[in-house]
Amino acid sequence: PAPPAARPTHRGCDTTNPHIDLDYLADTLETFLTPPSPPSDTDTAVQWCGQELARLGIPFEVTRRGASRAVLRGTERRPARAIAAHLDTLGAQVKGIKENGRLAIVPIGYWSARFAEGARCTIFTERGSYRGTVLPLMASGHTYGDDVDEQPTGWRHVEVRVDARCSSAAEANRLGIDVGDIISIDPQPEFLENGYICSRHLDDKAGVAVMFAALKALIPVKEQLPVDAYFLFTIEEEVGIGAANILTDEVASLIAVDNGTTAPGQNSAEFGVTLAMADQNGPFDYPLTRKLARLCREDDINYQKDVFRHYLSDVASAVEAGHDVLTALNCFGDDATHGWERIHIHALRSLAELVTAYLLSPIAFWRDAELVGTLEDFTSQPTEKAQQKLSSDVRMDEIEDETVEE
């Protein structure tokens, strides 16, 4: 790499962030909600992803397993930046075929059978696909009465009713249904005029749409990118593989775009960006998360911070696979995650704005171009005491307006 003194800075005070096309963002989300894509059955979504990248003129490559890696070339190859979202969704799999032709199932990914009850679905077999419905074992109120409400919740207590002549195990076998067949769950999306979007699988089809909106916005100004920008579309995040096998040695930082849980006890919101400060593995990288917060303030992007105790994303799988990269997680607030989810288009726009602002921002530490180095130009964290007006004899009217400058 060229010496730091020769590095250009491309984002000055006169640079205007690219415009985010909200119609394109919403249309892309609606499009990508269509193809079923539980892990191991993501081929259609991968094809659609590649077709859209090709339409935009973005070079990309696909791994053996099906993850896609697109790149916008910057002035320098290193230290490259990467943004990741996952194409895969939750789903289910045939565990067994019952004597009455119903299908016992197990989940793909971690989600509650409570949200599976009543879902319309597609069963993919070697002979073709069949439609069906996930039902509790006691589904008829006219037969079971109050027992319908008293039965347990869990995957052992639901089954799939196949919309075909399938009233016995023998008939299911004749249809070609077998143990291990993949089942996709219908998203049933609804786009409201007030900006709310309700659907299954917004985790993480909404993140994919954000990435495409950011890509589209960056194309006209790609010559301003200081380093290469990789856009990674993974296919197995819901089962813990995620970005484990998609990074290149050039990448020094990885940001996942995914959902943030809006629930009691959480600070995520359906408006603005939610910056995750930690997941269940621990805190994200200090310099990167603080830079993202600073970019939000500088570019007037609404944001809040949150900490997740039961959450792993593409960045966690990358680090666990041994990739030495700085990590962060940028989220859209998502209510009822892994269930009947709801988000707002404002959060998606805010995320796309932050992604473009980040990728156009100057490189803070060029030492990250190399895998290892010295302490020269290494990061440091503030340790000095905060300035306060408070003292043992201060009057209350002197400290009412006290604020801490960031």
Side-chain angles (χ1 to χ4, degrees), residues 110-390:
Y110 183 80
W111 60 300
S112 172
R114 185 185 303 275
F115 290 109
E117 293 182 4
R120 293 288 290 160
C121 64
T122 302
I123 306 104
F124 294 95
T125 78
E126 292 186 17
R127 296 187 187 177
S129 64
Y130 298 94
R131 297 285 289 158
T133 306
V134 183
L135 296 171
L137 300 185
M138 292 185 286
S140 174
H142 290 92
T143 299
Y144 299 107
D146 292 341
D147 288 344
V148 172
D149 293 327
E150 296 174 2
Q151 63 187 316
T153 297
W155 290 98
R156 292 179 297 171
H157 306 289
V158 295
E159 61 189 7
V160 171
R161 178 188 66 196
V162 183
D163 297 336
R165 185 164 183 171
C166 189
S167 58
S168 68
E171 287 182 339
N173 289 330
R174 283 197 291 271
L175 293 172
I177 297 173
D178 203 351
V179 171
D181 287 343
I182 300 297
I183 300 172
S184 70
I185 306 299
D186 288 7
Q188 298 178 254
E190 183 177 359
F191 289 72
L192 305 181
E193 291 183 359
N194 62 5
Y196 279 105
I197 304 167
C198 301
S199 179
R200 298 181 191 265
H201 310 326
L202 294 172
D203 170 14
D204 191 27
K205 298 295 181 75
V208 171
V210 165
M211 285 177 55
F212 271 107
L215 260 173
K216 183 174 183 288
L218 285 168
I219 291 172
V221 296
K222 60 183 179 181
E223 69 280 355
Q224 298 180 25
L225 292 169
V227 294
D228 289 353
Y230 286 90
F231 288 75
L232 312 178
F233 301 90
T234 68
I235 58 165
E236 297 169 299
E237 190 270 354
E238 294 292 1
V239 292
I241 298 175
N245 51 14
I246 188 65
L247 292 178
T248 67
D249 288 343
E250 290 80 12
V251 173
S253 60
L254 172 64
I255 296 177
V257 177
D258 213 325
N259 75 89
T261 58
T262 57
Q266 298 294 150
N267 199 44
S268 300
E270 291 173 291
F271 298 86
V273 174
T274 296
L275 299 177
M277 306 308 291
D279 65 6
Q280 69 186 61
N281 276 354
F284 292 108
D285 285 286
Y286 183 97
L288 184 54
T289 53
R290 270 57 178 189
K291 175 173 183 171
L292 292 168
R294 186 179 71 252
L295 287 172
C296 286
R297 294 191 294 270
E298 291 175 353
D299 294 343
D300 197 25
I301 300 171
N302 292 337
Y303 78 100
Q304 53 277 327
K305 298 175 181 179
D306 208 347
V307 170
F308 303 122
R309 297 176 56 231
H310 307 288
Y311 192 135
L312 293 174
S313 67
D314 279 309
V315 296
S317 58
V319 172
E320 290 172 357
H323 294 287
D324 184 22
V325 291
L326 300 177
T327 59
L329 173 61
N330 292 352
C331 303
F332 51 89
D334 189 359
D335 188 72
T337 56
H338 283 197
W340 283 108
E341 300 175 341
R342 188 186 74 175
I343 62 176
H344 197 277
I345 193 71
H346 183 276
L348 304 187
R349 185 195 71 189
S350 301
L351 266 175
E353 291 172 342
L354 178 56
V355 168
T356 58
Y358 167 69
L359 293 177
L360 289 169
S361 67
I363 298 295
F365 302 101
W366 284 102
R367 74 179 302 280
D368 292 338
E370 303 296 341
L371 292 176
V372 294
T374 68
L375 284 176
E376 184 180 357
D377 198 28
F378 190 68
T379 58
S380 61
Q381 297 174 357
T383 58
E384 63 275 7
K385 294 181 179 179
Q387 297 298 315
Q388 304 179 66
K389 296 179 181 178
L390 186 63

Side-chain angles (χ1 to χ4, degrees), residues 66-88:
S68 301
R69 181 170 53 227
V71 62
L72 285 178
R73 293 298 181 190
T75 302
E76 301 287 344
R77 301 286 83 83
R78 295 169 177 261
R81 293 161 163 169
I83 312 294
H86 60 96
L87 292 165
D88 61 300

